[in-house]
Amino acid sequence: MKRVKPRTVILLIAVVALLAWWRVPHYSDEDKAWYASVLCTVKSSSPTAGLTEMEQMIEGGNSDYALKKTHFSPSLGKKMLHAWEQLSDTEKQQALETPKGCAGPLLAKMGG
């Protein structure tokens, strides 16, 4: 039986690690802040709002003639909703009362 060279194993491990890193979604701070503000806007109008309302707001903001249309990211939307659920009841109440200060606690819960 033929032995595998250590260089081959290291190269294979590096390729697998690179593929794993590439498959994990990476969101910019700008995207996170935008989704946080969208969620805050949606929640302030309806506290039971969720992904559907966020998607409608983001996708509905596209003009028919836009060359680059913005598409909703369900995974980032779910992360935002998860961060919202982690807020305490008083934090949620404060966020609903002052939507401008709502994104900060959400981004803090998301870790960025």
Side-chain angles (χ1 to χ4, degrees), residues 44 84 90-102:
S44 65
W84 175 266
T90 55
E91 288 175 320
K92 287 179 186 176
Q93 189 61 34
Q94 288 173 348
L96 292 176
E97 289 172 2
T98 57
K100 288 185 179 182
C102 171

Side-chain angles (χ1 to χ4, degrees), residues 11-91:
L11 181 63
L12 184 61
I13 289 171
V15 168
V16 169
L18 182 63
L19 284 174
W21 175 84
W22 182 69
R23 294 276 302 155
V24 173
H26 301 279
Y27 306 111
S28 69
D29 291 339
E30 185 179 282
D31 286 342
K32 289 177 188 176
W34 184 38
Y35 274 64
S37 64
V38 167
L39 180 61
C40 291
T41 303
V42 168
K43 287 288 188 185
S44 65
S45 63
S46 170
T48 59
L51 280 179
T52 306
E53 290 82 1
M54 287 179 67
E55 181 177 11
Q56 288 172 351
M57 182 174 264
I58 290 172
E59 296 274 341
N62 289 321
S63 299
D64 292 336
Y65 54 84
L67 296 176
K68 183 181 178 197
K69 296 192 184 235
T70 306
H71 298 286
F72 179 69
S73 170
S75 61
L76 183 54
K78 287 177 186 173
K79 285 183 187 248
M80 271 305 147
L81 282 174
H82 181 68
W84 175 266
E85 291 165 3
Q86 289 180 342
L87 294 176
S88 68
D89 289 337
T90 55
E91 288 175 320

